[in-house]
Amino acid sequence: VRSGINAAHVTPTKEMLTEIMRKIPGPGNPPVQGMPSGMPPGMVPPGMMSPGARPPNMPPGMQGMPPGMVPPGMMPPGMMPPGMMPPGAMPPGMRPGGPPPGHPANRGPPPNQAQAGGEDKSYAWKQDTDELEVSVHLPSEAVKSKLQVKISPKQLKVVYAGDVLVDGALAGGCIPDGSTWTISKGACVISLEKADPRPWPSVFVKS
């Protein structure tokens, strides 16, 4: 009330009514905090959102989630769950075109394993996946100069002082260049390198 003027006798002008209507929210539109005076009802200033409004580009059902935030239980776009691989991806340790991890081809050569052996009246023998060892019995006073050993891919012959101790066709193939022999404790120890890692049923072919 202006000084000296009774408020009951003030007649509202058109401009006063317009200003009052601008400040009254429209039906169903609650007032927005911080809205400048003079803003038409139902309009929101730039940068502000009405209560309950969804940000632009936000899918339905994600109301209230800021852009870039993923709801609990959902994976970000492009991310695979643990243990899963994208289509076309290769498991760790697998070579292009190679067998999968754990395949026998990736385990390398098998370890050297002992195989069956035996004993005969003139020799004893044992074998593994790499070689077959034959111990031919010699006189206790045997000397190397009287010993002759002939190793062929399919034949073995041992002669001492003119006496043939063993002579026969081998039950498996051997590699002469990789085979050796020596005298040790009354025996001629012959190491035959196998041409095949499979076990021999015996030293010589049985007639």
Side-chain angles (χ1 to χ4, degrees), residues 188-202:
C188 174
V189 181
I190 305 166
S191 297
L192 302 176
E193 181 180 349
K194 286 184 173 182
D196 190 298
R198 290 176 295 184
W200 293 16
S202 60

Side-chain angles (χ1 to χ4, degrees):
V1 180
R2 296 180 180 178
S3 177
I5 301 178
N6 192 336
H9 300 284
V10 175
T11 302
T13 63
K14 181 179 180 180
E15 289 77 9
M16 293 173 62
L17 292 175
T18 300
E19 183 67 19
I20 292 173
M21 292 299 297
R22 286 180 179 177
K23 294 183 179 182
I24 299 176
N29 293 323
V32 179
Q33 185 176 2
M35 185 173 68
S37 60
M39 180 73 65
M43 292 190 65
V44 180
M48 295 183 62
M49 293 191 301
S50 301
R54 186 172 65 243
N57 302 323
M58 179 174 287
M62 297 178 63
Q63 184 171 351
M65 296 294 296
M69 182 173 290
V70 181
M74 293 184 63
M75 300 292 296
M79 186 173 179
M80 300 294 294
M84 294 187 62
M85 301 182 60
M90 191 166 295
M94 183 175 177
R95 302 185 304 273
H103 192 276
N106 291 331
R107 299 175 187 172
N112 193 1
Q113 298 178 351
Q115 297 172 342
E119 188 170 357
D120 194 85
K121 61 180 180 179
S122 57
Y123 63 88
W125 65 286
K126 61 183 180 180
Q127 63 178 324
D128 55 31
T129 53
D130 294 332
E131 65 180 17
L132 182 140
E133 183 180 286
V134 183
S135 297
V136 181
H137 304 318
L138 296 176
S140 57
E141 70 279 1
V143 292
K144 191 173 183 179
S145 59
K146 296 182 180 181
L147 185 63
Q148 295 179 352
V149 179
K150 183 179 180 181
I151 302 173
S152 302
K154 283 289 187 177
Q155 191 85 16
L156 174 64
K157 184 177 182 179
V158 179
V159 179
Y160 182 77
D163 295 331
V164 178
L165 302 180
V166 293
D167 185 13
L170 295 172
C174 75
I175 303 174
D177 290 342
S179 303
T180 60
W181 64 272
T182 186
I183 291 181
S184 175
K185 299 179 181 180
C188 174
V189 181
I190 305 166
S191 297
L192 302 176
E193 181 180 349
K194 286 184 173 182
D196 190 298
R198 290 176 295 184
W200 293 16
S202 60
V203 178
F204 299 103
V205 176
K206 295 182 179 180
S207 56

